[in-house]
Amino acid sequence: MLDKPRQRSARPKSLGYLMFASRWLQVPLYLGLIVAQAVYVYQFALELWHLIETVFLHKEAAQAALAPSPEVVVMLTVLALIDVVMISNLLIMVIIGGYETFVSRIDLNDHPDEPEWLSHVNANVLKVKLATAIIGISSVHLLQTFIRAQSTPNDKMMWQTIIHLAFVVSAVGLAYIDRLLSTSPAEHTRPHL
């Protein structure tokens, strides 16, 4: 008689372990993001080479007279480099933070290069950090659009600005929700003096 209850409780327990072990299915996704990171390193190298060509080899001078001035080309190329770096930072946050939050702890044994945010990362902190990174990336794209304002249609600039503002409002909303969730319920019930 004692064996039957053990068998019954073993099934839900093994099902729970299976559910818990399924988190490892995310590992190939994070490895794919590492490959995407390598693609962004290649993209950065291409943009940097374009900048070197523009400044030192004067390759842009051979282009049509309607081409932007070398200063504008340098500014746009530097913004493209910043954009690649910011997207790369976003990838690192998702790879490390997501793996730490949803798959397994990363034991760095107090490594001196451990990011300070990794010690208190959770899903809410990760969402807010990702939202602010997306705002930064959107800001760079919006600045590039405004630099090219003469050749950019007004409706495109308007929609990019609206989308950027939507990102800002979303990030503020996520930060506010995170703040509400992180305050203890006791603070809300305490009488104000």
Side-chain angles (χ1 to χ4, degrees):
M1 275 208 137
L2 293 174
D3 289 335
K4 279 190 175 180
R6 282 184 187 167
Q7 287 177 345
R8 285 183 196 163
S9 65
R11 281 186 184 164
K13 192 174 183 180
S14 61
L15 181 61
Y17 281 128
L18 176 65
M19 296 290 184
F20 184 64
S22 71
R23 74 192 191 282
W24 290 100
L25 291 173
Q26 292 187 17
V27 171
L29 305 177
Y30 292 115
L31 293 174
L33 288 178
I34 292 170
V35 172
Q37 178 88 337
V39 170
Y40 265 99
V41 169
Y42 176 75
Q43 181 67 35
F44 184 89
L46 287 179
E47 292 291 340
L48 187 60
W49 178 248
H50 179 68
L51 179 65
I52 291 168
E53 283 182 331
T54 301
V55 173
F56 297 109
L57 305 177
H58 305 291
K59 191 171 183 183
E60 287 293 319
Q63 304 243 339
L66 294 174
S69 68
E71 295 83 16
V72 171
V73 171
V74 168
M75 192 179 344
L76 290 171
T77 306
V78 168
L79 285 173
L81 290 172
I82 292 169
D83 184 43
V84 170
V85 169
M86 291 178 82
I87 291 174
S88 182
N89 291 342
L90 179 67
L91 279 169
I92 286 295
M93 277 192 285
V94 171
I95 292 166
I96 296 173
Y99 184 88
E100 170 88 12
T101 303
F102 300 110
V103 179
S104 181
R105 295 264 181 223
I106 300 173
D107 186 17
L108 297 176
N109 297 326
D110 296 323
H111 193 280
D113 294 332
E114 179 182 355
E116 65 87 18
W117 55 267
L118 191 57
S119 62
H120 57 271
V121 71
N122 61 37
N124 290 332
V125 170
L126 194 57
K127 283 182 212 171
V128 172
K129 287 197 174 294
L130 292 176
T132 54
I134 289 169
I135 289 171
I137 293 164
S138 176
S139 298
V140 170
H141 282 269
L142 194 58
L143 184 56
Q144 287 173 325
T145 300
F146 286 145
I147 290 171
R148 297 183 187 124
Q150 291 178 343
S151 62
T152 306
N154 286 340
D155 61 332
K156 181 178 179 181
M157 289 195 307
M158 179 192 69
W159 280 110
Q160 271 191 299
T161 304
I162 290 170
I163 291 169
H164 176 74
L165 291 174
F167 288 149
V168 171
V169 169
S170 297
V172 169
L174 284 172
Y176 180 70
I177 291 168
D178 183 50
R179 185 172 180 199
L180 287 177
L181 293 175
S182 66
T183 57
S184 68
E187 289 180 25
H188 295 293
T189 58
R190 251 187 256 158
H192 294 287
L193 299 176

